Amino acid sequence: MPAKNVTVNRASLGHRVSYALRHPERVPRYVVRATRDAWLRYRWPDHVSYYRAVMRSDTAVNADLAVGGRTRERWLALGAMQFDYLVKHGLRPEHRMLEIGCGNLRAGWRFIRHLDPGHYYGIDISPDILVAAQETLVHTELQDRLPTLTPVLDLTLRFLPEAHFDVVHAHSVFSHSPLPVIDECLANVGRVLAPGGWFDFTFDRTEGKEHQVLREDFYYRTETLVDLARKHGLAARFMEDWEDLPHGQSKIRVTHGS
């Protein structure tokens, strides 16, 4: 994984032309993706519905690829990275965990194995990827851990109990979300977070102009998300030690405000 490039504007014409000249073999794939995304945005202008359609399309090709695992080895490595980081930061078997955007359980199967039975709750906007998650459970023989996997229409979390989850986790979710979707999540996550609990999320960081690419990838400044959390009475801090890991995104931890 290359080092984070937090100054480039990937949406700019100059960057796109330069990238195409440096990687001409990737241009056909980009054109196919851009054409597909334009058609899906036309059919589903609402972002969550649009991205659900993106996930349906990607999952039909390869469920691992749909959640960012270009190879099975990379899928396993990214899941292990998330798991090891949370365990290092205090994730214990007795904790109750909510994973937002659990996908096909890239990290989730490790969390399920680690936690007490019934203590893992995964949600995703894509029913298709949750079917793939069920296959991961079968493959890893973790059915007796009794995880819950639930499709959702939004991130209001209104069907979940108050102050229930010790750990909330969202990996590669806000990197695909416009600001109103992130705002919706931060406005509601505090209600389901137990006293002393924390919410970790990753995001694509920029220190330049905030931008998006194909309405799939969104780049934010750290202070934008920290201020958004503060607006909802939450304390947020940038996780410096995550930056040492071979991952292209950055991480913020949110807790109840003092």
Side-chain angles (χ1 to χ4, degrees):
M1 176 67 69
K4 298 177 179 68
N5 188 337
V6 297
T7 58
V8 66
N9 183 344
R10 293 164 178 82
S12 70
L13 179 61
H15 171 75
R16 287 183 287 172
V17 170
S18 174
Y19 189 87
L21 291 174
R22 286 182 285 115
H23 304 283
E25 75 284 357
R26 299 181 184 179
V27 172
R29 185 174 62 186
Y30 176 85
V31 171
V32 169
R33 176 184 170 191
T35 302
R36 180 208 62 176
D37 285 6
W39 169 243
L40 295 179
R41 287 196 302 273
Y42 173 75
R43 292 193 64 189
W44 291 281
D46 166 69
H47 181 78
V48 172
S49 298
Y50 155 70
Y51 204 74
R52 185 178 294 114
V54 168
M55 289 297 294
R56 182 183 307 118
S57 175
D58 287 348
T59 303
V61 176
N62 184 303
D64 291 355
L65 185 63
V67 298
R70 293 180 179 175
T71 65
R72 188 64 175 181
E73 291 73 23
R74 184 60 180 163
W75 184 87
L76 288 167
L78 287 173
M81 188 187 306
Q82 297 170 56
F83 174 77
D84 292 344
Y85 186 85
L86 280 190
V87 170
K88 174 184 175 183
H89 281 265
L91 179 67
R92 302 193 304 272
E94 66 269 22
H95 281 153
R96 297 184 185 275
M97 180 178 186
L98 170 65
E99 186 163 32
I100 298 171
C102 63
N104 66 338
L105 301 180
R106 178 172 60 181
W109 73 269
R110 298 177 189 271
F111 295 137
I112 292 166
R113 185 180 61 182
H114 177 71
L115 297 169
D116 290 342
H119 280 213
Y120 176 91
Y121 203 112
I123 63 175
D124 205 288
I125 64 167
S126 171
D128 301 88
I129 203 67
L130 289 177
V131 171
Q134 293 174 356
E135 291 303 312
T136 299
L137 282 178
V138 173
H139 177 73
T140 53
E141 300 182 346
L142 292 171
Q143 300 96 322
D144 62 344
R145 309 302 288 179
L146 297 175
T148 299
L149 302 173
T150 301
V152 294
L153 294 175
D154 53 40
L155 294 183
T156 61
L157 312 176
R158 60 184 181 271
F159 66 99
L160 294 173
E162 184 173 348
H164 184 74
F165 296 102
D166 304 289
V167 178
V168 181
H169 185 245
H171 186 93
S172 294
V173 175
F174 289 176
S175 54
H176 302 302
S177 301
L179 212 55
V181 173
I182 299 175
D183 184 52
E184 178 179 80
C185 182
L186 291 173
N188 292 282
V189 72
R191 185 187 67 82
V192 304
L193 195 61
W198 72 87
F199 170 34
D200 275 12
F201 64 82
T202 62
F203 68 105
D204 281 325
R205 179 166 61 95
T206 181
E207 293 179 358
K209 180 181 179 181
E210 295 182 332
H211 59 281
Q212 55 83 19
V213 178
L214 297 178
R215 301 297 293 176
E216 279 200 48
D217 302 303
F218 292 78
Y219 295 82
Y220 296 108
R221 292 187 295 273
T222 302
E223 56 267 28
T224 296
L225 301 183
V226 170
D227 290 345
L228 195 59
R230 185 180 299 119
K231 184 184 80 170
H232 297 295
L234 301 169
R237 63 185 177 98
F238 187 77
M239 302 302 284
E240 294 282 356
D241 60 344
W242 176 263
E243 297 292 292
D244 297 329
L245 299 175
H247 194 277
Q249 296 180 10
S250 296
K251 184 185 285 283
I252 286 175
R253 174 160 296 179
V254 169
T255 58
H256 286 294
S258 57

